[in-house]
């Protein structure tokens, strides 16, 4: 008699502190280019919210317009999401948080969305200290309109048309610190470990948390001379003749220690010099934070890490002294005054 | 505009009001409770308190009264006119003729007095010697500075107190009830006893001076009536703010702009008084935005998240809100926008009146976008329609505009007291977690009920199937991104269906059909007052009977079509150059009805008056 096979019990699915699996934090299939840094950021967002045990239904995802702003469709499907208009997501988020101050908000923006068309709303979001995690998926170009400079593009960077950027970039982190954001950091989409840690810290923060995440664009930084440029590929790959061809690349993956510097080769063959803040850096001093960022500019390094944190400043919704429950769903008896009140007002007007 | 070629003789100082076609005033004696008083002054001179005391004292005497402030877009130093109309018949529209002038502005006093009809009266600083310009009016020179100095020892207060002198002069000349005047003044300065005493002394000084100095030689008198018993006086913006309070509005984000700012400022005052809970916490949030784009963005963010949210603006703000409003329409998010219209385009005349935003608001944004507009025609409707707007916005899940204007919004109007709302708040089709469990999910933009309106959930609904993705790009019934032609087509068709549903839900027009008139009049908003008076003029002076319909909303309900069909000729009376309401009607009516439409337009920045309507209509009718 052949002994019955012994079923190996499946290991129980791994769950987080609220009993959800990582699958509960997944989103739709990405339609961004393969190798796009934005996809890596989406993956880290999934990991961070899963690991922190955030109830997906308690999260609102908000975005503007652009490649970055498409990404809320690619993570945490169980959260309500709002893909608004170009650059004006901060106001939508502000309204949504006024309506329901019990929710967590995650804003996904891009460098064009934030630093050009949306800079007005960005700065006012900072000064109000709206309780939101605001991620700038920063690639220095406009992707959806096929490759114009954004306001965070470095001096000397080149479009595929050969045009060279001669305007200085806006440092969104320095701006955020100066204007009142209470959690400001910069990371790189390929640095899984650092980005995940920063996202988790941002989730724990109450106030505006700005994360500028350098995220290479695989399609529109393929300038003349690059061995991975569109033109190069057309010339060297016989099968490729389609005009709309978008090259496929692997996501860039880096890991380096605090206090060290790393040279990262981008998809177009150019290099990015990342320096990670030292472990003993004190992020509570606003002046030091700005000065450190300025020093990095001088050495042409992209500084990463959490530059500034203020845990004491009340968030905007706290400042408004709102009732504890969401304003949006207060019952009628709490939002419509009594008949006696109207009578009183009428009496005063007679 | 055919009959009123108003020349605002714009001087370097900011212009003055001269209407060259003003009709001569009748010289009959004892004109009781039927005339206008105009105070010509300088903005920043603090005349508003005195003007309100005068207005409200007449009201307190039981006489129907209305007041209009014609002011420049400036803080101080330019001419401004406050006009009070007493009307025993209850007419409250602007009347072109000025019967009693109080000339307090030396810069315009000559032109002001020249604009008066024969038989009028003028009160002025005696040193101006205005009598030299007119011998056909009653002149009352007053030594304002001397009288002021006698009652007010503090030089810095004299500028304010000086205005109260003319209250006393007018009170004596018009034989006003001084008990009513004192009661009004003391109510106005209720918390400032010292100020009340000082101002009352100035009123008395004016009264005594007039008693001892003047022989009355004008026909105008005020006699107590009982036509204002139980009525209130309020401006349209305060009324709308009160409506928002009782509508349970919870989120307000706004950017200051004349003439809408006082709406939110009143909301803040009322909310602080009536919408704080016992522990001092607020059931509302008001935020001053960085611009109108942020204001409307926050309204849609809040509306999406379940709040009754609103903003208040005027034409230039409306322009800035265009892109977001298209998103609100297409993503189907409730929100209420008050448009207190002023003259445009561009900066226009920021402090002058117009009904000029109808077309831009009806289709605000790009592509196939159209919006619901509510059009209040009184302060009472400002209050009521504020409430309807929130209900409709949530029922229809769409932006709803309340189209008020400067005349209605910033001027004081008497009204019946406002009624406490009968109906509970209508929050529209919102699914709870329990609903989702029962239904096993939902499709955000599916037309389940055939009315074009889908069901929605609010962020924070504790159910794994509650979430959906709101976007301004192409989407299907499940709110998934799509560029499929059939999905887009079906979605847009459903939005059209929803607009047809709106037609049945918006406030229906008010129709006054008398006899078998072949001529119909259509007016709306603040044009209503002049139109009603014009109908009486047409009847009395030309034996012309007219049917009347006052529009109260867009899209037009069935009765609008029926009204036009029932008349041979229909005059659309409105305060803009391009006959914007007539254009909207043309888009809606059948060809056989479109040809019946005629236009009466008034767009000089001043509120429309009855005589202009009457004269234009008579000319077009060839009477």
């Amino acid at each position: 008699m052949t002994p019955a096979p012994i079923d190996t019990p499946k290991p129980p699915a791994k769950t987080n502190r609220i009993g959800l699996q990582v699958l509960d934090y997944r989103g739709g299939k990405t339609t961004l280019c393969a190798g796009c840094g934005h996809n890596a950021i989406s993956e880290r967002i999934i990991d961070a919210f899963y690991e922190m045990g955030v109830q997906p239904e308690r999260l609102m995802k908000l975005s503007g317009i652009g490649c970055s702003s498409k990404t809320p469709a690619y993570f945490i499907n169980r959260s309500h999401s709002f893909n608004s208009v170009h650059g004006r997501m901060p106001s939508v988020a502000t309204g949504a948080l006024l309506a329901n101050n019990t929710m967590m908000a995650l804003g996904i923006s891009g460098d064009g969305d934030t630093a050009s068309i949306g800079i007005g709303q960005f700065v006012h979001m900072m000064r109000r200290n709206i309780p939101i995690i605001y991620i700038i998926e920063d690639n220095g170009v406009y992707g959806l309109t096929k490759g114009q400079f954004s306001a965070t593009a470095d001096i000397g960077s080149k479009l595929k048309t050969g045009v060279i950027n001669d305007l200085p970039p806006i440092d969104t982190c320095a701006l955020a610190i100066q204007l009142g954001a209470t959690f400001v950091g910069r990371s790189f989409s390929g640095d899984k470990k650092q980005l995940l840690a920063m996202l988790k810290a941002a989730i724990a923060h109450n106030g505006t948390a700005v994360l500028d995440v350098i995220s290479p664009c695989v399609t529109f930084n393929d300038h003349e001379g690059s061995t991975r440029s569109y033109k190069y590929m057309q010339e060297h790959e016989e099968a490729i003749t389609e005009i709309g061809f978008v090259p496929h690349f692997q996501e860039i993956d880096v890991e380096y220690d605090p206090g060290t510097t790393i040279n990262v080769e981008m998809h177009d063959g150019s290099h990015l010099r990342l320096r990670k803040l030292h472990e003993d850096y004190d992020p509570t001093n606003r002046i030091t934070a700005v000065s450190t960022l300025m020093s990095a500019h001088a050495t042409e390094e992209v500084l990463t890490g959490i530059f500034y944190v203020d845990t004491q400043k009340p968030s905007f919704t706290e400042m408004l002294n709102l009732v504890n429950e969401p304003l949006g769903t207060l019952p009628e008896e709490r939002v419509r005054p009594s008949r006696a009140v109207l009578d009183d007002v009428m009496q005063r007007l007679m | 505009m055919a009959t009123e070629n108003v020349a605002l003789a714009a001087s370097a100082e900011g212009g003055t009001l001269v209407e060259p076609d003003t009709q001569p005033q009748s010289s009959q004696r004892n004109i009781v409770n039927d005339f206008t008083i105009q105070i010509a002054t300088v903005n920043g001179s603090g005349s508003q308190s005195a003007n309100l005391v005068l207005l409200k004292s007449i009201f307190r005497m039981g006489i129907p009264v209305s007041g209009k402030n014609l002011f420049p877009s400036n803080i101080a130093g330019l001419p401004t006119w406050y006009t009070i109309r007493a009307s025993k018949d209850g007419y409250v529209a602007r009347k072109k003729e000025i019967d009693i002038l109080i000339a307090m502005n030396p810069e315009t006093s000559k032109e002001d007095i020249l604009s008066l009809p024969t038989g009028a009266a003028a009160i002025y600083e005696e040193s101006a010697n205005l009598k030299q310009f007119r011998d056909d009016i009653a002149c009352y020179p007053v030594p304002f500075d001397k009288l002021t100095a006698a009652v007010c020892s503090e030089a810095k207060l004299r500028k304010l107190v000086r205005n109260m002198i003319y209250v006393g002069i007018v009170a004596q000349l018009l034989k006003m009830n001084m008990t009513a005047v004192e009661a009004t003044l003391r109510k106005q300065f209720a918390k400032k006893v010292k100020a009340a005493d000082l101002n009352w002394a100035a009123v008395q000084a004016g009264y005594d001076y007039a008693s001892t100095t003047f022989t009355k030689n004008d026909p105008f008198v005020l006699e107590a009536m009982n036509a204002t018993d139980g009525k209130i006086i309020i401006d349209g913006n305060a009324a709308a703010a009160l409506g928002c309070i009782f509508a349970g509005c919870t989120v307000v984000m706004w950017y200051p702009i004349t003439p809408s700012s006082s709406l939110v400022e009143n909301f803040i005052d009322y909310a602080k008084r009536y919408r704080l809970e016992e522990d001092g916490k607020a059931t509302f949030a008001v935020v001053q935005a960085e611009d109108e784009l942020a204001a409307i963005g926050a309204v849609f963010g809040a509306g999406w998240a379940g709040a009754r949210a609103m903003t208040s603006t005027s034409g230039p703000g409306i322009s800035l809100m265009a892109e977001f409003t298209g998103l609100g329409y297409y993503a189907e998010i409730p929100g209420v926008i008050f448009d207190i219209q002023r003259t445009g385009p561009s900066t226009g005349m920021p402090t002058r009146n117009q009904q000029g935003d109808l077309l831009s608001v009806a289709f605000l944004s790009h592509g196939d976008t159209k919006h619901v507009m509510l059009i209040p025609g009184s302060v009472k409707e400002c209050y009521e329609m504020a409430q309807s707007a929130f209900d409709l916005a949530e029922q229809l899940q769409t932006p709803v505009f309340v189209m008020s204007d400067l005349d209605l919004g910033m001027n004081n109007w008497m009204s019946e007291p406002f009624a406490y709302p009968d109906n509970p708040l209508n929050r529209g089709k919102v699914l709870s977690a329990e609903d989702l469990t029962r239904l096993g999910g939902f499709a955000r933009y599916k037309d389940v009920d055939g009315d074009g309106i889908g069901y929605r959930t609010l962020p924070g609904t504790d159910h794994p199937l509650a979430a959906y993705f709101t976007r301004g790009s192409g989407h299907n019934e499940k709110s998934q991104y799509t560029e499929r032609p059939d999905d887009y087509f079906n979605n847009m068709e459903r939005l059209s269906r929803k607009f047809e549903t709106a037609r049945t839900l918006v406030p229906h027009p008010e129709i006054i059909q008398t006899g078998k008139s072949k001529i119909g009049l259509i007016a709306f908003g603040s044009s209503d007052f002049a139109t009603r008076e014009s109908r009486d003029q047409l009847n009395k002076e030309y034996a012309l009977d007219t049917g009347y319909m006052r529009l109260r909303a867009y899209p037009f309900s069935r009765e609008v079509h029926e009204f036009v069909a029932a008349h041979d000729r229909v005059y659309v009376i409105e305060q803009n150059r391009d006959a914007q309401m007539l254009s909207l009607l043309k888009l809606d009516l059948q060809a056989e009805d479109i040809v019946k439409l005629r236009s009466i337009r008034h767009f000089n920045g001043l509120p429309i008056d009855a005589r202009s309507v009457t004269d234009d209509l008579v000319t077009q009718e060839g009477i």
Side-chain angles (χ1 to χ4, degrees):
Chain A
M1 185 176 173
T2 308
I6 299 168
D7 287 340
T8 309
K10 274 188 175 176
K14 197 176 168 191
T15 58
N16 63 6
R17 66 181 180 88
I18 60 168
L20 296 181
Q21 301 175 35
V22 73
L23 280 174
D24 294 312
Y25 294 83
R26 293 237 159 251
K29 186 174 180 297
T30 178
T31 61
L32 299 176
C33 312
C36 176
H38 297 359
N39 289 328
I41 298 170
S42 294
E43 290 298 319
R44 299 295 83 73
I45 289 170
I46 291 167
D47 293 343
F49 280 83
Y50 165 73
E51 289 181 26
M52 290 294 282
V54 176
Q55 183 72 35
E57 287 77 20
R58 303 304 306 163
L59 173 70
M60 302 187 288
K61 303 174 289 179
L62 302 112
S63 61
I65 295 292
C67 291
S68 58
S69 292
K70 286 174 172 282
T71 64
Y74 313 139
F75 58 82
I76 320 184
N77 270 350
R78 282 170 55 174
S79 300
H80 269 76
S81 191
F82 195 142
N83 187 187
S84 63
V85 298
H86 205 184
R88 270 59 64 78
M89 171 262 282
S91 63
V92 177
T94 301
L97 285 161
L98 293 175
N100 192 338
N101 62 346
T102 69
M103 297 289 282
M104 178 178 281
L106 173 63
I108 306 290
S109 185
D111 40 315
D113 201 60
T114 292
S116 290
I117 189 170
I119 192 113
Q121 296 213 345
F122 176 72
V123 299
H124 286 276
M125 180 178 62
M126 301 297 110
R127 67 187 273 262
R128 292 192 182 111
N129 196 25
I130 303 289
I132 186 173
I133 302 165
Y134 187 92
I135 297 173
I136 306 164
E137 299 188 342
D138 187 353
N139 56 20
V141 298
Y142 284 73
L144 272 182
T145 50
K146 306 207 169 180
Q148 298 80 14
F149 287 124
S150 84
T152 65
D154 290 321
I155 289 183
S157 57
K158 192 191 284 183
L159 293 183
K160 70 180 191 178
T161 56
V163 175
I164 293 173
N165 179 36
D166 51 10
L167 286 175
I170 291 173
D171 187 329
T172 50
C173 287
L175 194 61
I177 294 166
Q178 187 185 351
L179 289 166
T182 48
F183 184 109
V184 181
R186 176 172 285 133
S187 187
F188 179 67
S189 61
D191 189 343
K192 291 180 184 175
K193 194 173 167 188
Q194 185 195 42
L195 180 55
L196 179 62
M198 285 171 62
L199 279 166
K200 288 163 75 172
I203 290 169
H205 181 72
N206 179 30
T208 306
V210 174
L211 292 181
D212 179 38
V213 185
I214 307 298
S215 174
C217 175
V218 300
T219 304
F220 292 107
N221 54 5
D222 56 346
H223 56 75
E224 186 83 22
S226 167
T227 55
R228 294 186 181 180
S229 71
Y230 175 48
K231 190 173 180 186
Y232 181 91
M233 296 288 279
Q234 276 187 315
E235 287 170 355
H236 294 80
E237 188 73 44
E238 287 178 15
I240 299 166
T241 55
E242 191 184 341
I243 298 298
F245 169 73
V246 174
H248 282 57
F249 294 106
Q250 291 295 312
E251 282 170 15
I252 298 170
D253 196 358
V254 299
E255 189 166 347
Y256 62 116
D257 293 328
T260 65
T261 303
I262 186 174
N263 273 313
V264 184
E265 185 180 4
M266 308 297 276
H267 298 110
D268 62 359
S270 65
H271 285 79
L272 187 67
R273 188 169 169 78
L274 298 175
R275 180 158 67 85
K276 200 171 278 186
L277 284 170
H278 200 274
E279 277 173 333
D280 60 7
Y281 172 82
D282 175 13
T284 62
N285 188 316
R286 181 187 263 192
I287 295 167
T288 306
V290 175
S291 138
T292 306
L293 278 167
M294 294 301 108
S295 301
H297 289 180
T299 56
E300 295 188 343
E301 292 173 323
V302 176
L303 197 59
T304 71
I306 297 172
F307 307 133
Y308 179 65
V309 177
D310 175 359
T311 58
Q312 302 304 309
K313 185 178 172 182
S315 75
F316 189 63
T317 50
E318 288 170 334
M319 284 169 58
L320 291 172
N321 195 31
L322 306 177
V323 293
N324 297 327
E325 303 87 342
L327 291 180
T329 50
L330 286 176
E332 180 172 321
E333 56 271 21
R334 291 179 69 186
V335 294
R336 173 177 278 173
S338 68
R339 191 179 292 270
V341 165
L342 184 65
D343 291 344
D344 176 54
V345 175
M346 291 300 106
Q347 203 61 43
R348 288 166 189 263
L349 295 170
M350 284 178 179
Chain B
M1 198 57 201
T3 58
E4 189 183 8
N5 182 21
V6 170
L8 282 176
S11 66
E13 293 73 35
T16 184
L17 285 176
V18 181
E19 299 189 57
D21 60 341
T22 298
Q23 298 297 310
Q25 181 77 21
S26 163
S27 60
Q28 70 179 63
R29 296 287 104 183
N30 294 327
I31 298 174
V32 181
N33 298 344
D34 191 14
F35 51 83
T36 57
I37 306 167
Q38 184 171 78
I39 301 105
T41 182
V42 178
N43 66 334
S45 64
S47 63
Q48 193 66 352
S49 293
N51 299 341
L52 285 177
V53 167
L54 212 44
L55 176 88
K56 291 183 178 176
S57 297
I58 297 170
F59 173 80
R60 196 173 278 259
M61 288 174 67
I63 304 163
V65 67
S66 57
K68 292 192 193 302
N69 194 14
L70 303 173
F71 58 106
S73 178
N74 192 56
I75 299 299
L78 289 183
T80 180
W81 297 266
Y82 190 78
T83 307
I84 295 171
R85 180 178 184 184
S87 169
K88 60 181 172 29
D89 301 314
Y91 297 130
V92 291
R94 184 175 76 89
K95 185 177 156 220
K96 279 162 72 170
E97 303 81 12
I98 301 302
D99 300 304
I100 301 167
L101 170 72
I102 303 170
M104 301 297 284
N105 182 6
E107 297 290 328
T108 65
S109 60
K110 181 181 172 186
E111 287 152 305
D112 287 333
I113 204 162
L114 286 175
S115 72
L116 295 175
T118 297
I123 298 160
Y124 52 88
E125 166 62 38
E126 65 178 2
S127 60
N129 192 22
L130 296 180
K131 190 169 174 53
Q132 62 179 309
F133 303 115
R134 298 291 295 263
D135 57 8
D136 60 340
I137 63 172
C139 289
Y140 301 105
V142 178
F144 279 103
D145 291 338
K146 192 173 146 191
L147 293 175
T148 307
V151 295
C152 183
S153 56
E154 289 186 61
K156 65 180 182 182
L157 294 178
R158 283 181 195 154
K159 189 180 164 190
L160 298 173
V161 173
R162 190 173 189 265
N163 295 309
M164 286 293 172
I165 302 285
Y166 66 69
V167 175
I169 301 281
V170 170
Q172 198 280 333
L173 286 173
L174 299 182
K175 305 185 189 312
M176 289 178 70
N177 179 335
M178 289 304 280
T179 308
V181 178
E182 182 172 8
T184 305
L185 185 143
R186 293 204 179 277
K187 187 175 181 183
Q188 191 151 311
F189 293 93
K191 291 175 183 170
K192 301 172 186 169
V193 177
K194 194 178 164 189
D197 290 344
L198 183 59
N199 281 291
W200 180 238
V203 173
Q204 285 183 307
Y207 188 91
D208 293 344
Y209 181 81
S211 302
T212 55
T213 314
F214 299 141
T215 301
K216 184 173 171 67
N217 56 358
D218 67 77
F220 309 109
V221 290
L222 291 169
E223 289 179 3
M225 296 173 63
N226 58 1
T228 65
D229 290 353
K231 288 195 166 60
I232 60 168
I233 285 191
I234 190 170
D235 64 75
N237 284 351
L242 204 54
C244 292
I245 292 287
F246 284 90
C249 171
T250 46
V251 174
V252 179
M253 196 147 162
W254 68 300
Y255 189 72
I257 181 171
T258 302
S260 77
S261 300
S262 64
L263 199 163
V264 175
E265 287 163 347
N266 273 288
F267 180 90
I268 294 167
D269 288 346
Y270 284 130
K272 281 183 175 171
R273 187 176 297 185
Y274 301 119
R275 289 280 297 277
L276 294 176
E277 302 213 319
E278 284 181 5
D279 58 3
K281 293 208 166 195
T283 63
F284 64 94
V286 182
V287 177
Q288 183 177 321
E290 55 270 33
D291 54 34
E292 285 90 345
L293 288 82
I296 191 69
V299 166
F300 290 131
W304 173 74
R308 298 200 133 196
M310 73 95 160
T311 190
S312 173
T313 190
S314 189
I318 289 290
S319 303
L320 290 172
M321 293 175 181
E323 184 192 16
F324 250 128
T325 305
L327 176 80
Y329 170 80
Y330 190 51
E332 301 180 60
I333 302 168
V336 173
I337 302 108
F338 288 87
D339 179 5
I340 316 301
Q341 298 168 88
R342 66 187 216 193
T343 61
S346 188
T347 313
M349 297 190 288
T351 57
R352 295 303 169 91
N353 196 57
Q354 200 169 66
Q355 296 172 314
D357 296 343
L358 298 168
L359 281 175
S360 58
V361 168
F363 308 110
L364 191 65
S365 195
H366 48 268
D368 287 323
T369 305
K370 50 188 178 180
H371 303 292
V372 173
M373 298 189 285
L374 306 185
I375 312 169
S378 65
V379 288
K380 193 160 185 277
E381 282 194 342
C382 288
Y383 166 78
E384 291 168 351
M385 286 190 181
Q387 295 168 52
S388 309
F390 286 99
D391 282 347
L392 282 168
E394 291 198 304
Q395 272 181 284
L396 294 164
Q397 297 172 25
T398 198
V400 171
F401 291 81
V402 185
M403 305 297 288
S404 179
D405 62 28
L406 183 148
D407 188 18
L408 193 53
M410 289 191 73
N411 287 322
N412 279 297
W413 303 84
M414 62 176 198
S415 168
E416 294 294 331
F418 303 157
Y420 194 73
D422 292 329
N423 299 321
L425 308 181
N426 188 334
R427 305 304 310 265
K429 297 179 182 180
V430 178
L431 296 174
S432 65
E434 294 72 30
D435 293 330
L436 292 168
T437 300
R438 177 170 51 80
L439 297 167
F442 83 116
R444 169 69 181 94
Y445 296 116
K446 187 170 184 182
D447 190 1
V448 177
D449 304 321
D451 56 5
I453 307 165
Y455 285 79
R456 66 178 184 141
T457 55
L458 303 180
T461 305
D462 188 20
H463 195 286
L465 299 174
Y468 66 93
F469 203 102
T470 300
R471 46 164 61 90
S473 46
H475 46 266
N476 61 17
E477 285 184 341
K478 293 181 178 175
S479 196
Q480 294 163 325
Y481 175 71
T482 174
E483 295 186 14
R484 283 175 57 109
D486 54 343
D487 280 333
Y488 178 77
F489 180 89
N490 291 336
N491 201 23
M492 293 303 285
E493 282 286 277
R494 182 182 54 75
L495 284 167
S496 260
R497 214 153 46 238
K498 184 159 84 168
F499 206 64
E500 290 304 308
T501 300
R503 218 183 265 283
T504 67
L505 297 178
V506 296
H508 290 207
E510 180 187 20
I511 296 174
I512 304 171
Q513 189 65 53
T514 55
K516 294 177 182 174
S517 171
K518 293 179 178 178
I519 297 174
L521 306 185
I522 293 178
F524 56 93
S526 67
S527 300
D528 173 59
F529 311 110
T531 305
R532 285 175 189 273
E533 188 178 348
S534 171
R535 290 184 71 233
D536 290 349
Q537 290 175 350
L538 289 165
N539 198 281
K540 198 171 164 185
E541 299 168 18
Y542 299 93
L544 190 63
D545 190 30
T546 54
Y548 179 41
M549 176 174 64
R550 181 171 66 88
L551 297 170
R552 302 205 302 153
Y554 178 80
F556 306 119
S557 51
R558 180 179 46 79
E559 295 93 328
V560 176
H561 301 83
E562 291 171 354
F563 180 86
V564 178
H567 291 83
D568 292 347
R569 295 180 295 286
V570 177
Y571 289 84
V572 183
I573 299 152
E574 51 191 315
Q575 299 178 65
N576 57 67
R577 184 192 67 183
D578 291 342
Q580 296 189 20
M581 184 62 88
L582 187 141
S583 298
L584 288 175
L585 285 163
K586 278 183 177 175
L587 290 173
D588 223 50
L589 295 171
Q590 299 297 316
E592 63 267 27
D593 288 330
I594 289 172
V595 296
K596 297 176 178 178
L597 298 179
R598 296 186 178 190
S599 183
I600 293 176
R601 298 160 298 126
H602 186 281
F603 55 94
N604 60 8
L606 301 176
I608 191 171
D609 64 284
R611 182 54 59 189
S612 294
V613 176
T614 300
D615 290 350
D616 197 341
L617 191 143
V618 163
T619 303
Q620 292 195 51
E621 283 291 306
I623 298 172

